[in-house]
Amino acid sequence: MQTIYDLNLKELEEVLAGYGQKPYRAKQIYAWLYRKRAASFREMSDLPAQLISRFEEDYSMMNIREKDRQIARDETTKFLFELEDGAFVEAVLMHFHFGDSLCISSQIGCNMGCTFCASGLLKKQRNMTAGEMVQEVLYVQRELDKDGKRVDNIVIMGTGEPFDNYDNVMNFCRIVNSGLGLAIGARHITISTCGLVPAIRRFAAEHVQYNLAISLHAPDNELRSRLMPVNRAYPLEELMKALRDYSEENHRRLTFEYILLHGVNDSDEHARKLAKLIRGMNAYVNLIPYNQVEENEYRSASDKDALRFYDVLMKNGVKATLRQKHGDDIDAACGQLRARHERNRNQL
Ligand code: SAH
């Protein structure tokens, strides 16, 4: 059964029209779902009983369940959810001085095959629906309600390639962004892509205000293709051209994510090449410590090497941030907690 969380406001109005109801009811229902965080249709006390029954017949409410939770020393919290069909997905809540950020998944598994990533160990089984992604946020928001806090930022950087699930991801953004609902500002929502050029061009043409982050991880085609097979389909020249066009048309700053892998992409030469690649763009580089996973040989660059890399970028006129590690005492790497549960499940 479809969940009510799959519907954006316009779609909800259309459903209501089909029920012979006035469109304003959609706003009422949105307030119940996202402002009052109702757990059932029954609670929606200002709706006619008949309408409540109708919704109960046609739509489910929450259909994701928490299966596990890990809390790190720094209070980074990883949630493992089970979806209606038994699939597992992860979401990670991180606390920053600028607010609480929730990292959500967008697909069950991933087909992009980045060699360093634990998510890709499980091939894509399916896309997540908009409603499932909305529920990741709503579930965590309800937890934060207990402390009077809110999900301030959403990053779509969990398992999956959001631009390989374009329509659902954009609909998800629309729903959580709605001023009548959770009202998470567009500039507080970040979509991270490995570089699917046609989708970047489509995104650019929509002129929406969501932030765009690109997983770069290498400054030349040879290395990038080795780390990220997607680069063979969309090499750096095409990717950078699409990004420059996006940035100029939309007047938006881009974020480049760059994981520092010891002995792989962390030399001074790599830093200089990277600086050259993005020179003149309205962009900055987010240097990310690598969360080591058992399944491969990659190791994180040392703090010293990370600082050196950062310095070379700065000297070459590139703005960069060196991200702190979060939750490295739990299974915080993308797909790690889920991979562990899948292994356990297979052993049963
Ligand atoms: N498919 C999208 C979003 C999911 S991955 C993308 O590629 O951007 C989110 C980010 O986490 C990407 O930058 C990815 O390269 C990075 N990542 C994957 N595995 C990681 C690990 N073990 N440690 C640190 N970052 C990792």
Side-chain angles (χ1 to χ4, degrees), residues 6 16 32 34 39 54 60 73 93 105 134 180 205 242 270 289:
D6 277 301
L16 284 159
W32 279 110
Y34 301 114
R54 193 68 203 265
S60 69
R73 278 188 294 276
L93 179 66
S105 295
V134 170
L180 296 162
H270 290 122

Side-chain angles (χ1 to χ4, degrees), residues 263-281:
V264 175
N265 65 356
D266 64 343
S267 72
D268 287 6
E269 176 66 16
H270 290 122
R272 279 191 293 270
K273 268 194 187 171
L274 177 59
K276 196 165 163 218
L277 188 67
I278 66 174
R279 190 167 296 151
M281 287 177 87

Side-chain angles (χ1 to χ4, degrees), residues 103-104 106 110 112 114 116-119 156-162 191-195 213-217 228 257-259 288-293 296 323 333-334 336:
C103 173
I104 66 152
S106 58
C110 182
M112 298 300 122
C114 300
F116 48 79
C117 177
S119 294
I156 310 177
M157 289 188 189
T159 297
E161 167 50 44
I191 302 173
S192 175
T193 179
C194 63
I214 294 88
S215 297
L216 201 59
H217 306 328
M228 304 176 70
E257 294 154 276
Y258 196 100
I259 312 174
I288 307 171
Y290 181 61
N291 270 313
Q292 285 167 204
V293 295
N296 66 47
R323 202 194 281 174
C334 313
Q336 257 184 316

Side-chain angles (χ1 to χ4, degrees), residues 12-59:
L12 190 54
E13 282 173 0
E14 283 160 10
V15 168
L16 284 159
Y19 292 168
Q21 293 279 338
K22 293 259 158 34
Y24 77 89
R25 294 261 181 229
K27 292 181 183 153
Q28 264 179 318
I29 294 169
Y30 246 54
W32 279 110
L33 294 175
Y34 301 114
R35 290 287 167 95
K36 301 176 213 172
R37 329 236 208 264
S40 71
F41 290 113
R42 303 258 134 171
E43 285 171 46
M44 304 183 180
S45 52
D46 51 3
L47 299 188
Q50 244 183 331
L51 183 58
I52 290 178
S53 307
R54 193 68 203 265
F55 273 115
E56 282 179 331
E57 277 165 33
D58 295 349
Y59 294 94

Side-chain angles (χ1 to χ4, degrees), residues 289-300:
Y290 181 61
N291 270 313
Q292 285 167 204
V293 295
E294 285 163 26
E295 291 81 359
N296 66 47
E297 303 286 300
Y298 293 114
R299 294 292 164 254
S300 185

